[in-house]
Structures are given as C-alpha cells and as structure tokens.
Amino acid sequence: MMQVFCSPLRYVQGISASNQLAQQMDAVGMKPPVLLVASKSARSQAEKAWQESMKQLGWEFSILDFTGECTPKEIDSVVARAKTLGVKSLVGAGGGKVLDTARAAANICNISIALAPSIASTDAPTSALSVVYDEQGKVLEYRIFKRNPDLVLVDLSLIAQAPVRFLAAGIGDALSTYFESDACRLSRKPNMRSGLSTQAAFALARFCFDSIIADGADACVAVANKIVSPALERIVEANTLLSGLGFESSGLAAAHAIHNGLTMIPSTHDFLHGEKVTIGVLTQLALEGKPRPFFQDIVRFLKSVNLPTRLKDLGIDANDLNVINTIAKRATQPGETIHNEPFPVTAAMVADALRAADALSAQV
Ligand SMILES: [Zn+2]
C-alpha cells in the first residue's frame, strides 16, 4: 500500500482574516462569481468584511443562508442554487455543518471551495470529508471527496467572540487525533485517503497532542474573555490545521467510532461533536488498557477545559445496559474505524470499555 499525505492548498489564520477573503481566494486561483453559504451568526459578524473584500476585486457574489443540518437534502439544495447562479466558486462560512454542506456541494458541482470556520470546534475544515446526517441527527455516512479545500481561512477575531464551549469541543476533537493516529500506525491500517500514514502526518498528530496539553486551558481563558492571545493562536492551529492534517492523513480508530455510537442516543444530540469524541477518547484509552496514571492525567486535563468525562455528562446512564449495548453495537458495525485498532474489537469489549472508562473517570 502507498503512503498518502494530503492537505488543503492554502491555510490562512489571523486577526480579521475575513477582510481578505477574496484576496486569499484569488491567491489560489479561485474565480468569481461566488456563492457564499453562511450560518446566521457568521453572516452577522463578517458580511461587511466579505462585501468589502469582494468589492475591492470587483467580484460578483451572493449569500445563501444556512440554517439546517448537513443532510443529503441540504446539500442538494446548495447544488441547485450554485447551478442556477452559474458560480465558479463556493464558500462555506460558519460551523462544521455549514462547511460540510458547502464542501459536499462544491465537489458535486466540481467547482473550487473556500472554507471559513467561525468557530474552532472541529478539525473538519482542512479535510476532503463531510459527515452527512439524517433528519434525526444520526450519522448517515462519511462522504470522501477527491479534493481538499482550495482555501481554509480562519478569522481569529470571530473565534475569540464565540462561546468558549466551541473552542473546548475543538480541543476534545483534536485530543483524539494522536491516539487514533497511533492506533492506525501500529496496525498499519489505511488513513482517510486509503493510504498508509507518513512520518509527517504522525509527527503533526503528536505535536497536536503536545500543543493541546500545553495551551488548551490558557486558550479557553482567552476566549472566555474574548481575547486573541498567543495560546489561542496555537490552539486554533492545533484544533484546525494540526488535527485536520493528522486525522485525515493518519486515520481514525476507536474514538470516532464510539462518537458515532453515541449519536444513536437522543440525549447526546444536544452535545457537540468534540464533546462526544471526548468520551470516545477515554473509552479508547480504556479499551487499549492504557496505564491508570496516564488515563487520570487526561481526565484532569479534560476537566480543566470543562469537557465531559462521564457518560452522565452526556445524559447517559452507565448502568443502562440497553443503551450501552446500542452504542457498542453501532461503534463496531462493519466498516467502522474502530476496526483500525491494532487488535480485534467486539461490541462486548466496547460495552465494557465504556463503563470502565466511566468508572475510572469517577475516581479522579
Ligand atoms: Zn472529529
């Protein structure tokens, strides 16, 4: 099997980066007219900056408000609008679901795509992958596309204005990257691009972990006070770029499969992707039998950034075996990334690991 590494064409982050949207698009060869798919909050914060930037280059653009989930229906409606307008580029601006919808639509239309996350809550922006949900909020499929985004533009001023819970969720998502990457490395299982990992991807995943442990808590303090600090700059890069390149080019394993299992339980729908992934990380550590002091250090870190460490934090009763078995069964369904672990994993093992991680966390 070949080793494969992939990434967006360009990653840009900085204070007031929205002011340079069109210029950065132009720098990677993107062309007008542009359709910008935006969440309500991204639009209210950045529309002026986008307009000014597009005006400077004389680019024609329109905005489509996004309110829904990333479902097949939403993706198709963006495709229909893009075709009607005859646009040459798409932009997704907002949270993960807007970005996933815009990316999927751009790939169907075979036009270039820029993604402008307004929160740093997941590592999805840099990837060529969209997580598609059904109307009930359950994970339906991972759609993997030929192309990574042409541009990822992260405006630190928007990230600093967002609720700190989003940044913490991004830290939870990014925390999984090293552990899942390590599992794929040990098992020599393929990454998200059907190739083996590279030293570069593994080093990025490891650096992502070190960066999060070093700066995660300080970055949360910065956002709680709406400040852009050096720690926040480093964590936004860790949550978005390091984790994104790490997961896509090194692969996913148990933590994200357990996340998918958790989405089967309605009480988890009020929680963010990264908050569920956090429980996935702890369960993966229990499944792999990581030493207790290490597990406890991770739990202490999660508490320092207000991330969930117990099943009850997601509204799940650890003693409800029906619920536990539902999660475990979904997490181990054929084709799930949990089978990238370096040993065979069964639903019974996951059910035990969910409850073991919960019990161990309770002791910290
Ligand atoms: Zn994730």
Side-chain angles (χ1 to χ4, degrees):
M1 196 184 290
M2 298 289 165
Q3 291 174 284
V4 178
F5 180 90
C6 60
S7 71
L9 267 182
R10 179 181 286 227
Y11 176 86
V12 178
Q13 76 169 40
I15 292 172
S16 303
S18 307
N19 294 340
Q20 288 188 24
L21 177 61
Q23 286 74 8
Q24 293 293 339
M25 290 171 72
D26 185 45
V28 291
M30 294 178 74
K31 299 267 183 263
V34 177
L35 175 61
L36 207 151
V37 187
S39 70
K40 208 173 145 193
S41 68
R43 183 173 188 170
S44 70
Q45 289 173 291
E47 183 173 0
K48 248 188 174 164
W50 299 331
Q51 263 172 353
E52 192 51 40
S53 167
M54 296 281 169
K55 206 169 106 191
Q56 280 172 11
L57 294 193
W59 280 20
E60 196 186 313
F61 85 111
S62 18
I63 300 181
L64 175 65
D65 287 313
F66 178 89
T67 48
E69 288 271 342
C70 179
T71 59
K73 209 171 119 190
E74 287 288 342
I75 294 166
D76 291 345
S77 80
V78 176
V79 168
R81 178 62 78 92
K83 285 188 172 161
T84 308
L85 294 168
V87 296
K88 293 212 172 93
S89 303
L90 258 175
V91 178
K97 288 180 176 165
V98 191
L99 305 191
D100 276 359
T101 305
R103 169 176 24 226
N107 273 275
I108 293 170
C109 300
N110 198 22
I111 54 178
S112 51
I113 173 86
L115 296 179
S118 59
I119 50 177
S121 66
T122 76
D123 57 14
T126 59
S127 76
L129 173 129
S130 289
V131 184
V132 180
Y133 292 82
D134 67 15
E135 305 286 337
Q136 282 74 46
K138 294 195 198 104
V139 173
L140 198 60
E141 56 176 332
Y142 288 140
R143 283 196 198 175
I144 298 174
F145 308 109
K146 285 186 180 163
R147 292 169 48 179
N148 289 68
D150 297 80
L151 171 68
V152 176
L153 183 83
V154 188
D155 187 334
L156 293 174
S157 314
L158 299 188
I159 309 273
Q161 294 299 318
V164 66
R165 184 180 170 195
F166 290 123
L167 187 80
I171 290 171
D173 195 26
L175 184 68
S176 70
T177 304
Y178 166 62
F179 298 115
E180 294 184 280
S181 156
D182 198 35
C184 292
R185 183 180 64 91
L186 292 169
S187 62
R188 291 185 67 79
K189 289 285 174 62
N191 59 27
M192 305 309 286
R193 312 299 280 176
S194 304
L196 291 175
S197 184
T198 50
Q199 292 185 83
F202 185 67
L204 291 171
R206 177 68 219 193
F207 184 59
C208 178
F209 176 77
D210 293 341
S211 178
I212 279 169
I213 298 294
D215 287 318
D218 286 351
C220 287
V221 172
V223 170
N225 291 285
K226 305 195 185 303
I227 297 164
V228 176
S229 68
L232 178 63
E233 285 175 358
R234 292 193 287 265
I235 283 298
V236 171
E237 185 188 336
N239 284 10
T240 316
L241 184 65
L242 298 174
S243 183
L245 300 181
F247 102 82
E248 189 172 29
S249 287
S250 263
L252 296 177
H256 274 78
I258 290 157
H259 160 274
N260 294 345
L262 290 165
T263 68
M264 299 295 287
I265 310 305
S267 71
T268 69
H269 294 173
D270 295 336
F271 295 90
L272 301 167
H273 171 82
E275 292 170 336
K276 285 175 269 209
V277 169
T278 300
I279 296 298
V281 169
L282 294 177
T283 307
Q284 178 173 332
L285 298 182
L287 187 70
E288 293 173 345
K290 287 279 194 290
R292 180 189 169 97
F294 182 76
F295 184 95
Q296 290 180 328
D297 281 348
I298 299 294
V299 172
R300 282 188 205 102
F301 169 75
L302 292 171
K303 288 186 168 179
S304 77
V305 292
N306 281 323
L307 279 166
T309 57
R310 302 287 311 275
L311 287 166
K312 67 175 185 196
D313 297 338
L314 302 182
I316 293 169
D317 176 0
N319 295 316
D320 187 337
L321 295 185
N322 271 337
V323 166
I324 297 295
N325 289 332
T326 302
I327 299 165
K329 203 173 154 205
R330 173 65 182 81
T332 52
Q333 78 179 29
E336 254 305 346
T337 54
I338 206 163
H339 303 298
N340 289 345
E341 289 289 327
F343 49 86
V345 179
T346 63
M349 287 161 72
V350 174
D352 277 345
L354 279 161
R355 300 179 69 228
D358 191 70
L360 284 167
S361 290
Q363 292 181 2
V364 179

